[in-house]
């Protein structure tokens, strides 16, 4: 089993190294925006879009052009990776997985990537990392890096620089531990498991909401782009960073515990974008309970349901387990005892009482049980379809024709 894993550390660069990293990130951003503008110009003229090889030829011309000769001061591989990112963005757009590529802005996700492991040196004993045209960088060595280094990404967040070291290593096929469990996601309870365990929500945004509101108001009173405005903006960014770090840390702890103790996890396939959609409506048809829905949307987005599912997915795969997503329809309205489905079964947000048989239980617990049963049924169908032999007259991998 081949395992890809990234290890992220904060780096402690010197003043000159910080200036160099800002230049390299700016050069990659310039190349990305220039290539995107050039692709748009070709499209308006009716010409076909160039691929990665054609863009690399243009990059060579830009590096030798007297107007953009400063691009030669940056390492060439990160500049080429910026073109690869643009090519991937176009591929995701045409596959309807993402929107059309947008121009990058200074200060937003500034980063650059070194793809050649031959140019990277990692000295874990002395907590140092060597990168081309940057030299040796000191980093906060919080854990050991396992595997062979594949690439290194340098990024900036709230004035701090980080390195993400992606490694690759061969591991024995893991044997999953534990049984199956269903999970019901919520706001009052972040996650309720079908075995009775539940996790309270962290609500990291709600904890820092007053501080964030105060900092944003202070920033709004400053003259835009002044020194005081930049200081106030950095304060707002630090609060947002703390909110995100606390949320990710909490999700990592819960997802690690669940993935290590269960072989199969059944979870609801929640449409978070639809659930958190605004209820304001339009001028002609205004919405109802807009203020209450706005608070609910804020609480839903504060939980990080999609990130939790993403972490569960790859951590279960690392441990040899399975993640099964089931439709969320009627999971909290179906009685697990008699199977009766009714909206009247949900007496309140936390209380479930079946109007048919009188079964009573916590509503989140009932949802987790129903999710677990639906996941078992879905997993059994997928396994049976995978091992079912092909129909007579059809080749393997083809479905039999009907009619």
């Amino acid at each position: 089993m081949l395992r890809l894993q990234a290890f992220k550390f904060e780096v402690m660069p010197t003043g000159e190294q910080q200036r160099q990293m800002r230049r390299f990130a700016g050069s990659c951003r310039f190349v990305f925006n220039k290539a995107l503008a050039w692709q748009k110009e070709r499209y308006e003229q009716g010409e076909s879009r160039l691929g990665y090889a054609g863009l690399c030829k243009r990059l060579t011309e830009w590096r030798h052009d007297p107007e953009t000769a400063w691009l030669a001061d940056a390492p060439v591989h990160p500049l080429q990776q910026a073109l690869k990112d643009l090519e991937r963005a176009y591929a995701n757009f045409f596959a309807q997985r993402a929107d059309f590529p947008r121009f990058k802005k200074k200060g937003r996700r500034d980063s650059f990537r070194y793809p050649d492991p031959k140019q990277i040196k990692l000295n874990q004993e002395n907590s140092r990392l060597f990168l081309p045209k940057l030299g040796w960088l000191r980093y906060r060595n919080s854990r050991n890096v396992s595997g062979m280094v594949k690439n290194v990404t340098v990024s900036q967040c709230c004035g701090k620089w980080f390195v993400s070291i992606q490694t690759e290593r061969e591991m024995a096929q893991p044997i999953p531990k534990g049984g199956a469990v269903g999970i019901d996601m919520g706001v009052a309870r972040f996650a309720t498991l079908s075995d009775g365990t539940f996790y309270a929500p962290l609500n990291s945004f709600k904890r820092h909401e007053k501080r964030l509101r105060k900092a944003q108001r202070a920033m709004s009173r400053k003259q835009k782009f002044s020194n005081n405005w930049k200081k106030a903006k950095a304060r707002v960014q630090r609060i947002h960073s703390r909110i995100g770090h606390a949320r990710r840390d909490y999700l990592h702890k819960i997802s690690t515990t669940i993935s290590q103790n269960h072989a199969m996890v059944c979870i609801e396939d929640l449409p978070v974008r639809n659930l958190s959609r605004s209820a304001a409506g339009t001028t002609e048809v205004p919405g109802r309970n807009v203020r209450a829905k706005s608070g609910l949307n804020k609480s839903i987005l504060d939980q990080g349901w999609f990130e939790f599912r993403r972490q569960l997915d790859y951590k279960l795969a690392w441990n040899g387990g399975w993640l099964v997503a089931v439709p969320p329809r009627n999971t909290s309205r179906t009685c697990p005892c008699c199977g009766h489905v009714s909206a009247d079964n949900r007496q309140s947000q936390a209380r479930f009482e079946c109007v048919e048989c009188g079964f009573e239980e916590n509503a989140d617990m009932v949802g987790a049980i129903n999710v677990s049963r639906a996941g078992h049924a879905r997993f059994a169908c997928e396994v049976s379809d995978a091992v079912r032999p092909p129909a007579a007259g059809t080749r393997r991998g083809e479905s039999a024709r009907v009619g």
Side-chain angles (χ1 to χ4, degrees), residues 149-194:
V149 177
K150 299 296 293 183
N151 59 69
V152 172
T153 302
V154 183
S155 60
Q156 183 188 28
C157 180
C158 300
K160 296 182 179 180
W161 288 93
F162 301 87
V163 290
S164 181
I165 306 173
Q166 188 185 50
T167 63
E168 180 184 75
R169 67 182 186 270
E170 190 70 29
M171 299 185 65
Q173 184 65 32
I175 300 176
K177 300 178 182 179
V181 70
I183 301 179
D184 180 80
M185 310 301 298
V187 174
R189 289 182 175 184
F190 169 71
T192 304
L193 278 60
S194 58

Side-chain angles (χ1 to χ4, degrees), residues 1 3 5 174-183 190-191 193 195 197 199 250-267 307-324:
M1 175 183 175
R3 177 167 171 174
Q5 187 174 0
I175 300 176
K177 300 178 182 179
V181 70
I183 301 179
F190 169 71
L193 278 60
D195 59 4
T197 308
Y199 297 93
Y250 187 67
L251 296 179
H252 272 296
K253 290 177 180 177
I254 297 178
S255 59
T256 299
T257 302
I258 295 176
S259 62
Q260 289 179 348
N261 298 317
H262 298 91
M264 184 175 74
V265 176
C266 309
I267 196 169
E307 175 65 13
F308 178 67
R309 175 177 171 177
R310 186 191 70 85
Q311 293 180 10
L312 271 180
D313 192 8
Y314 77 82
K315 289 180 181 180
L316 283 168
W318 283 354
N319 294 315
W322 297 272
L323 180 68
V324 182

Side-chain angles (χ1 to χ4, degrees), residues 4 93 101 150 180 188 198 217 260 302 318 349:
L4 294 173
F93 168 72
K150 299 296 293 183
F198 70 90
R217 286 177 178 174
Q260 289 179 348
D302 195 12
W318 283 354
Q349 182 66 27

Side-chain angles (χ1 to χ4, degrees), residues 22-320:
R22 284 195 293 267
R23 293 191 190 104
F24 296 168
S27 299
C28 293
R29 182 176 60 252
F30 175 83
V31 169
F32 183 94
N33 292 340
K34 189 174 181 64
L36 179 56
W38 193 64
Q39 294 278 39
K40 283 187 173 182
E41 183 180 352
R42 287 178 59 89
Y43 176 77
E44 292 173 357
Q45 295 176 356
E47 301 179 4
S48 61
R49 178 175 61 90
L50 281 185
Y52 171 70
L55 291 176
C56 285
K57 293 181 180 179
R58 297 290 298 180
L59 175 61
T60 304
E61 298 175 3
W62 297 338
R63 286 167 59 87
H64 291 87
D65 190 349
E67 295 183 358
T68 56
W70 48 270
L71 288 176
D73 297 335
V76 65
H77 285 172
L79 300 180
Q80 293 175 350
Q81 291 299 301
L83 298 179
K84 273 197 173 183
D85 292 341
L86 178 61
E87 181 68 17
R88 190 181 301 109
Y90 266 107
N92 291 334
F93 168 72
F94 289 118
Q96 299 182 353
R97 292 190 298 264
D99 295 332
F100 189 79
R102 292 180 295 181
F103 292 99
K104 291 188 176 183
K105 186 177 180 181
K106 182 180 180 181
R108 290 188 179 180
R109 299 180 180 180
D110 289 340
S111 64
F112 53 95
R113 183 169 62 253
Y114 291 93
D116 189 2
K118 297 179 181 179
Q119 298 181 344
I120 303 168
K121 299 177 183 178
L122 180 62
N123 186 356
Q124 299 189 59
E125 295 180 356
N126 297 318
S127 303
R128 297 192 308 166
L129 177 70
F130 180 85
L131 297 176
K133 293 196 175 183
L134 282 177
W136 288 100
L137 284 166
R138 294 175 59 233
Y139 70 94
R140 299 187 183 275
N141 193 357
S142 57
R143 56 175 176 166
N144 292 330
V145 177
S146 303
M148 183 177 60
V149 177
K150 299 296 293 183
N151 59 69
V152 172
T153 302
V154 183
S155 60
Q156 183 188 28
C157 180
C158 300
K160 296 182 179 180
W161 288 93
F162 301 87
V163 290
S164 181
I165 306 173
Q166 188 185 50
T167 63
E168 180 184 75
R169 67 182 186 270
E170 190 70 29
M171 299 185 65
Q173 184 65 32
I175 300 176
K177 300 178 182 179
V181 70
I183 301 179
D184 180 80
M185 310 301 298
V187 174
R189 289 182 175 184
F190 169 71
T192 304
L193 278 60
S194 58
D195 59 4
T197 308
F198 70 90
Y199 297 93
L202 179 65
N203 294 330
S204 59
F205 180 83
K206 189 175 182 180
R207 292 184 179 185
H208 298 82
E209 189 173 9
K210 290 184 179 179
R211 290 184 57 205
L212 181 62
R213 185 186 299 116
K214 184 178 179 181
Q216 288 175 335
R217 286 177 178 174
M219 187 181 73
S220 66
R221 298 188 184 102
K222 305 292 189 297
Q223 184 178 357
K224 203 168 185 180
F225 302 117
S226 65
N227 289 334
N228 288 333
W229 178 85
K230 292 179 181 178
K231 294 178 183 177
K233 182 182 178 182
R235 192 176 300 112
V236 172
Q237 290 177 339
R238 284 196 298 269
I239 298 175
H240 275 296
S241 176
R242 181 171 298 178
I243 292 171
H245 289 164
R247 182 186 297 119
R248 280 189 294 271
D249 177 72
Y250 187 67
L251 296 179
H252 272 296
K253 290 177 180 177
I254 297 178
S255 59
T256 299
T257 302
I258 295 176
S259 62
Q260 289 179 348
N261 298 317
H262 298 91
M264 184 175 74
V265 176
C266 309
I267 196 169
E268 294 175 298
D269 189 10
L270 295 173
V272 180
R273 179 174 296 180
N274 296 338
L275 291 174
S276 59
R277 185 170 294 170
S278 174
T282 60
T283 306
E284 295 78 10
V285 186
R288 297 181 180 179
N289 300 325
V290 178
R291 188 178 183 86
K293 185 63 169 65
S294 175
L296 178 61
N297 293 347
K298 191 184 298 183
S299 299
I300 290 175
L301 296 175
D302 195 12
Q303 307 308 315
W305 290 343
F306 181 83
E307 175 65 13
F308 178 67
R309 175 177 171 177
R310 186 191 70 85
Q311 293 180 10
L312 271 180
D313 192 8
Y314 77 82
K315 289 180 181 180
L316 283 168
W318 283 354
N319 294 315

